Every structure is written in structure tokens, then in C-alpha cells.
């Protein structure tokens, strides 16, 4: 099986925690790598952001990343990416035609469209979904879509000062829901939200939870924890609360700072320290020093350590150095950070939103907080900071909970969905581009099926 994976707005090769790179990058890279290890050939198409990387990057046997030129390499904000949908799609088609056109008559309609080169398309995020929808009909293959976030859901839980997602995005997502052959969701709650907000059909949805690399994210020994703290410049005897992720209002790092400042004032004997690991993203790009300024305003700058984003092989030491990982997000479709933390034996205090109630076993591997009032967060964090026995028991349980999720299980479920779709598509005679193009022509201009 050959799969064209579309990840237009961010590359799986980018460092998570910088700019628009985050959990989706971790997801796409791990799914693609594990698909390849299961014998599925995967090409990930993404927008080129640097000339030095080259058009084709061989990541692993059976896995390539294709950098497609669409707009300037640098300086193009995420909000402007919709203007490059046509250019990006044209770049994808050009690459595939060059490869597929070498077989048979290069002037044939199939070679010109690139039909027959892939068995299936899997798009990620709404921009890629729009591209995947067009390629689906040009190539005559089924489209699988994973959204990662949904505009209608995000707008129901905005952080204070955050900008709502535009109606244009919600309309594009509705078109994807109406036209994709399968929507992969992380949780049943996400499936229910799609049925409510986008009138999705349950038969078009498949719940496939993400996984975690339990071989990389493992609990550290006391000696490993001490070494990690020395390397990161954290006092050995401190109580450490860490935040890992992109620095923007949606992820809630400011909630942690306010809650921690309260704890630091009330419990100076606990020697509480805060670690924030990540880079500005989204609205955080407008004020990259906002969290530093907030720490100074709260009078806790000396207790907060800001770390730059780091690759997984280095990130594990941050998890191991922490006593608690805070995930105060306003919206989180699943919560890979929470899962990685637990795999590393670190209990989690997370917001009760999105997929986090599934990711965190409340009272066993962590705590869940209703809402985003810093006072409530201070109370939840305090219960673990002050109770060593409770925190240590959660630390013992957390890895076994995380072990229930693995990328191999995720990918095996995904391959089953792929095969079912490909078999059904071929059984109904929809594998020829002319059939698909006829279908495209029969739709109304809104993009909905007749």
C-alpha cells in the first residue's frame, strides 16, 4: 500500500514547540514512521520552508518527506497559508506527475493527474484537508482526514484575549467532513462533538487514539533525575512543576505561572520551582516575552526557568526532572504531553477538556481541574506538592497507564481502516480518475454531496 500524507502547514521534521510545530508534528511523524515499519510506503507532503533541505528527504525505509514550494520559504504567517492552497496543490501534482509519468504513456490522463501512484490520501489539519479533497477526486482514491483541532470546538473554549477561529475555516472543515471517506478522531468525545457541531455521520468516523513512545519516555532513577536537574540548572531538592508545549494563550502557561506564584508565596519552605519548556506560537508570537514579563510582574522570576524546545531524546530529561507536569490547555484533542509525562513516571495535573480526561486517570496517575481559575489550579497543584506519598503513588501508576497506548496499536488500527476503505473504493469501481472527476462535477458549488 502507498499512502500520500498531507501536512501542509507544518513539517514532521520540524522541532515541536517552535512556531506552529507541536503535538501534530509528533503525531504525523510517529504514525508515518510506524506505517513504514509495517510495510506501508508513505510520502508526507509539506510546504517547503527552507531551500537547504531539498525537495525529497529520506527519513526511513519506506518514508519520505516531500517539500513542496508554495509561497516564500520564510515570513509567511499561518493565517496567510490559505492563499497558497492552489500553489501547494500544484506543487504536489507536479511532483507526482514526474514520478508517475515515467510509467506508460506520460501524456495519458492518468499520468497527467498522477492517478495510480497512491492507494489512499491521509490529510492532517483543515488546510491539508482541502488539498486532500481535491487530490481525492483527481486521483480516484479514498481520503482519510485527521483534524487535530476543530474551529467550532476551539471557539467554545477560548482563552481570555485569544482570537476566535474564522468562519471561513469552519466552512472549510464542514466541506471536509461532508466529503472525506473517513474521519479519524482521537476520542469518542471528539466524535460526539463532530456529530453535534458538523452533522457528521457516525459511520464516517473512526476512533483511533494516538500512542506514546514508551521506549523513549521512561521513568528515571534517582541518579538520572539528579543528573537531569543539574544539566537543566534546577535545584536538586526543589519541588518542580513543569509545562511543556507551545507558548500561547490556548495552552495556558500563564495559568500555571499565576497558580505557582500563589504557592510560592504560601509555601516558601517547599522550594517550589517552575520550568517552562517551549517556544512562542500562535498569539504568543505577537508578544514573545509575555511570560517573562508576567513572571516578573508576579515577583517569581527567580523561581522560573525558561527552556527552549528540544527533541524527544532530550525532552525526556525534562519530564524526569519534574515532580509534576501541568497541562492547563483550553482545548486539547488528546494530550500527547500528558501521556509522555506519565510514561516517564511523572504525575499530571490537567484541565478537564477535550481528550485529557481519557489521557489522565483521575486520582491514579494525576488530577483534573475544572476551568482555568488560577486559584483552583493552585489548590490542585498544592495537593501534590504537599503530599509526597500521593505524588509518589501516582508516579508509580503513571507508566502502566501510558503503556496502554502505543504507536504500533495506533497504526495497526489505522491500517485496518485504510484497507477497508481501499477495498470498498475498488469494489464500487471508484478507482479511476474519470469516475472521480465526474463525481466532482456533479457536486453543488458549496462542496456538499448531492
Amino acid at each position: 500500500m502507498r499512502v500520500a500524507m498531507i501536512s501542509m502547514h507544518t513539517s514532521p521534521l520540524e522541532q515541536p514547540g517552535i512556531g506552529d510545530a507541536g503535538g501534530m508534528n509528533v503525531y504525523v511523524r510517529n504514525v508515518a514512521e510506524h506505517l513504514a515499519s509495517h510495510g506501508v510506503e508513505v510520502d508526507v507532503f509539506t510546504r517547503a520552508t527552507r531551500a537547504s533541505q531539498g525537495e525529497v528527504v529520506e527519513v526511513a525505509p519506506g518514508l519520505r518527506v516531500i517539500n513542496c514550494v508554495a509561497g516564500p520559504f520564510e515570513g509567511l504567517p499561518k493565517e496567510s497559508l490559505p492563499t497558497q492552497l492552489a500553489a501547494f496543490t500544484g506543487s504536489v501534482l507536479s511532483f507526482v506527475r514526474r514520478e508517475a509519468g515515467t510509467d506508460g504513456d506520460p501524456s495519458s490522463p492518468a499520468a497527467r493527474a498522477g492517478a495510480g501512484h497512491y492507494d489512499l490520501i491521509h490529510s492532517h489539519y483543515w488546510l491539508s484537508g482541502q488539498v486532500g479533497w481535491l487530490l481525492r477526486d483527481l486521483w480516484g482514491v479514498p481520503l482519510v482526514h485527521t483534524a487535530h483541532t476543530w474551529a467550532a470546538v476551539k471557539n467554545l473554549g477560548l482563552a481570555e484575549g485569544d482570537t476566535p477561529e474564522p468562519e471561513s475555516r469552519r466552512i472549510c472543515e464542514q466541506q471536509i467532513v461532508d466529503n472525506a471517506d473517513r474521519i479519524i478522531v482521537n476520542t469518542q468525545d471528539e466524535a460526539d462533538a463532530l456529530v453535534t457541531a458538523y452533522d457528521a455521520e457516525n459511520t464516517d468516523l473512526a476512533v483511533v487514539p494516538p500512542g506514546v513512545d514508551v521506549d523513549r519516555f521512561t521513568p528515571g532513577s534517582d541518579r538520572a533525575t539528579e543528573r537531569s536537574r543539574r544539566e537543566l540548572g534546577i535545584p536538586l531538592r526543589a519541588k518542580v512543576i513543569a509545562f511543556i508545549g507551545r507558548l500561547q494563550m490556548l495552552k495556558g502557561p500563564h495559568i500555571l505561572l499565576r497558580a505557582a506564584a500563589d504557592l510560592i508565596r504560601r509555601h516558601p519552605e517547599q522550594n517550589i520551582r517552575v520550568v517552562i519548556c517551549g517556544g512562542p506560537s500562535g498569539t504568543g508570537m505577537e508578544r514573545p516575552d509575555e511570560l517573562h514579563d508576567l513572571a516578573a510582574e508576579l515577583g517569581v522570576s527567580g523561581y522560573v526557568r525558561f527552556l527552549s524546545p528540544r527533541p524527544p531524546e532530550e525532552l525526556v530529561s525534562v519530564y524526569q526532572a519534574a515532580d509534576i507536569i501541568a497541562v492547563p490547555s483550553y482545548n486539547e484533542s488528546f494530550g500527547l504531553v500528558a501521556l509522555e509525562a506519565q510514561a516517564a513516571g511523572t504525575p499530571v495535573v490537567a484541565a478537564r477538556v477535550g481528550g485529557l480526561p481519557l489521557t489522565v486517570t483521575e486520582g491514579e496517575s494525576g488530577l483534573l481541574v475544572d476551568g482555568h481559575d488560577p486559584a483552583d489550579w493552585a489548590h490542585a497543584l498544592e495537593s501534590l506538592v504537599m503530599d509526597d506519598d500521593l505524588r509518589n503513588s501516582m508516579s508509580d501508576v503513571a507508566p502502566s497507564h501510558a503503556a496502554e497506548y502505543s504507536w504500533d496499536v495506533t497504526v495497526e488500527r489505522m491500517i485496518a481502516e485504510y484497507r477497508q476503505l481501499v477495498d470498498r473504493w475498488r469494489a464500487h469501481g471508484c478507482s479511476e480518475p474519470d469516475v472521480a472527476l465526474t463525481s466532482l462535477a456533479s457536486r453543488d458549488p458549496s462542496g456538499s454531496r448531492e
Side-chain angles (χ1 to χ4, degrees):
M1 184 183 290
R2 298 198 72 197
V3 173
M5 198 167 282
I6 315 295
S7 181
M8 175 186 171
H9 88 288
T10 181
S11 168
L13 300 179
E14 294 296 324
Q15 168 63 56
I18 298 177
D20 293 321
M24 177 178 142
N25 297 69
V26 176
Y27 181 102
V28 171
R29 176 144 189 171
N30 277 279
V31 166
E33 286 181 342
H34 283 77
L35 283 170
S37 72
H38 283 67
V40 178
E41 293 184 38
V42 182
D43 284 343
V44 182
F45 292 91
T46 191
R47 195 181 77 86
T49 55
R50 60 176 72 94
S52 60
Q53 202 168 60
E55 183 180 31
V56 180
V57 179
E58 300 277 354
V59 179
L63 170 59
R64 304 185 297 179
V65 171
I66 316 301
N67 292 300
C68 299
V69 176
F73 290 129
E74 298 178 354
L76 188 69
K78 182 178 174 181
E79 294 73 23
S80 298
L81 287 178
T83 66
Q84 300 303 315
L85 285 170
F88 180 80
T89 306
S91 187
V92 173
L93 288 171
S94 176
F95 175 84
V96 175
R97 276 198 304 267
R98 276 182 273 137
E99 289 208 332
T102 60
D103 297 325
D105 181 3
S107 66
S108 69
R112 289 200 302 271
H117 204 60
Y118 297 102
D119 300 291
L120 178 138
I121 300 163
H122 190 164
S123 57
H124 296 269
Y125 196 61
W126 71 274
L127 292 166
S128 301
Q130 288 284 308
V131 175
W133 173 25
L134 175 59
L135 295 177
R136 165 192 187 269
D137 292 297
L138 287 172
W139 292 344
V141 298
L143 170 64
V144 175
H145 181 70
T146 303
H148 300 275
T149 62
W150 298 92
V153 177
K154 284 183 71 174
N155 286 345
L156 290 174
L158 288 174
E160 184 178 349
D162 238 351
T163 304
E165 294 296 321
E167 178 64 7
S168 57
R169 172 180 169 179
R170 193 205 63 78
I171 291 171
C172 288
E173 289 176 340
Q174 184 67 63
Q175 292 171 330
I176 296 165
V177 170
D178 290 342
N179 290 281
D181 298 281
R182 182 75 82 249
I183 303 288
I184 300 288
V185 295
N186 293 323
T187 65
Q188 186 57 48
D189 282 347
E190 185 182 354
D192 295 341
L194 282 186
V195 172
T196 301
Y198 293 89
D199 296 321
E201 297 286 344
N202 276 312
T203 54
D204 292 336
L205 305 176
V207 178
V208 181
V212 63
D213 188 343
V214 294
D215 294 323
R216 171 169 285 151
F217 296 101
T218 59
S221 63
D222 290 342
R223 181 173 295 180
T225 298
E226 289 184 5
R227 183 174 61 252
S228 295
R229 289 193 175 192
R230 285 195 184 95
E231 292 173 352
L232 297 173
I234 302 169
L236 297 181
R237 303 304 170 200
K239 295 288 179 67
V240 181
I241 307 169
F243 170 95
I244 295 173
R246 290 177 291 144
L247 304 185
Q248 61 179 118
M249 298 292 283
L250 179 70
K251 297 296 184 180
H254 57 293
I255 303 297
L256 171 59
L257 279 181
R258 294 185 183 280
D262 186 20
L263 290 182
I264 290 167
R265 283 192 295 270
R266 289 193 287 115
H267 299 288
E269 77 285 355
Q270 293 297 322
N271 195 19
I272 296 170
R273 293 291 190 273
V274 177
V275 172
I276 294 182
C277 180
S281 173
T283 54
M285 299 287 283
E286 300 169 8
R287 295 179 57 192
D289 296 325
E290 181 176 14
L291 293 175
H292 293 77
D293 294 342
L294 178 59
E297 177 188 322
L298 295 169
V300 295
S301 293
Y303 300 87
V304 181
R305 182 94 164 88
F306 288 94
L307 303 176
S308 60
R310 49 206 60 210
E313 59 271 17
E314 297 178 21
L315 188 61
V316 64
S317 66
V318 181
Y319 286 120
Q320 293 174 346
D323 294 290
I324 303 164
I325 296 293
V327 187
S329 301
Y330 284 79
N331 178 260
E332 203 71 64
S333 62
F334 189 71
L336 288 175
V337 165
L339 203 56
E340 291 173 351
Q342 292 168 90
T346 308
V348 175
V349 176
R352 196 188 303 272
V353 298
L356 287 169
L358 175 67
T359 311
V360 179
T361 303
E362 187 170 18
E364 295 183 17
S365 63
L367 300 174
L368 296 171
V369 182
D370 294 308
H372 295 83
D373 186 331
D376 294 335
W377 276 83
H379 177 72
L381 292 167
E382 182 180 43
S383 65
L384 293 187
V385 166
M386 302 299 292
D387 192 334
D388 293 343
D389 290 339
L390 176 60
R391 191 180 64 255
N392 290 335
S393 69
M394 288 184 173
S395 180
D396 292 338
V397 170
S400 60
H401 173 62
E404 297 174 11
Y405 300 89
S406 80
W407 287 114
D408 281 325
V409 171
T410 297
V411 163
E412 285 165 7
R413 293 182 183 179
M414 205 163 284
I415 290 174
E417 294 293 333
Y418 287 178
R419 293 200 183 284
Q420 183 186 67
L421 284 174
V422 170
D423 290 345
R424 188 178 72 185
W425 191 272
R426 290 172 178 168
H428 286 79
C430 295
S431 59
E432 294 298 326
D434 289 344
V435 175
L437 288 168
T438 301
S439 170
L440 177 65
S442 69
R443 294 189 186 146
D444 64 44
S446 69
S448 297
R449 292 186 182 129
E450 289 185 338

